[in-house]
């Protein structure tokens, strides 16, 4: 059974940093795609960063490019999202997602990911 558990959210002032963790189990990192998504109140869930472990390709949404970066630790099956220079508009619930098919990770749409974590709240104060 695939399980994803996010942690690391919290309250941070604008310009600050946070690192989110996604602890994964039940699948191999060799070929899966893992993505980070976020959903702000009243808005649709949006993809912000995805990685395909088969080829090692990474994609970032324009809104976070240059500020957010992904990293992974295969030994602990943990995927990280380093978030720097946070802005109030980054406030949202952040989700980790995974799927065995990494064909469409560049599109970063929730419908291409079958497995989801419970989410972690990130709040950026102005």
């Amino acid at each position: 059974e695939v399980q994803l558990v996010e942690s690391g959210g919290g309250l941070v002032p604008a310009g600050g940093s946070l690192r989110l963790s996604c602890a994964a189990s039940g699948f191999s990192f060799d070929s899966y795609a893992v993505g980070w998504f976020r959903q702000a109140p009243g808005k649709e869930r949006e993809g912000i960063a995805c990685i395909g472990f088969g080829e090692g390709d990474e994609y970032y949404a324009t809104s976070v490019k240059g500020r957010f970066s992904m990293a992974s630790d295969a030994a602990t099956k943990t995927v990280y999202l380093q978030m720097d220079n946070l802005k109030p508009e980054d406030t949202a619930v952040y989700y980790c997602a995974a799927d065995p098919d990494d064909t469409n990770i560049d599109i970063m749409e929730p419908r291409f990911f079958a497995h989801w974590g419970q989410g972690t709240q990130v709040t950026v104060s102005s």
Side-chain angles (χ1 to χ4, degrees):
E1 179 186 4
V2 174
Q3 290 190 326
L4 302 166
V5 179
E6 303 97 332
S7 61
L11 174 64
V12 62
S17 298
L18 279 176
R19 188 178 76 161
L20 304 183
S21 300
C22 173
S25 62
F27 67 93
S28 169
F29 268 17
D30 292 347
S31 60
Y32 260 64
V34 174
W36 285 96
F37 294 77
R38 67 185 181 187
Q39 188 166 19
K43 295 188 176 181
E44 293 186 354
R45 191 169 298 189
E46 63 169 339
I48 56 172
C50 292
I51 182 170
F53 285 105
E55 299 293 330
D57 296 328
E58 294 185 17
Y59 299 91
Y60 295 90
T62 302
S63 59
V64 305
K65 195 173 294 184
R67 300 188 298 122
F68 292 10
S69 61
M70 294 181 70
S72 63
D73 184 336
T76 61
K77 287 193 173 181
T78 303
V79 179
Y80 302 97
L81 182 68
Q82 177 67 40
M83 306 186 295
D84 297 319
N85 190 22
L86 282 160
K87 304 175 181 180
E89 51 263 43
D90 294 320
T91 295
V93 177
Y94 283 69
Y95 298 89
C96 175
D99 197 273
D101 184 357
D102 64 358
T103 303
N104 298 298
I105 61 168
D106 57 324
I107 302 175
M108 290 191 290
E109 289 185 4
R111 60 190 173 101
F112 291 122
F113 289 81
H115 308 285
W116 291 83
Q118 81 290 348
T120 185
Q121 177 71 46
V122 171
T123 303
V124 184
S125 62
S126 57

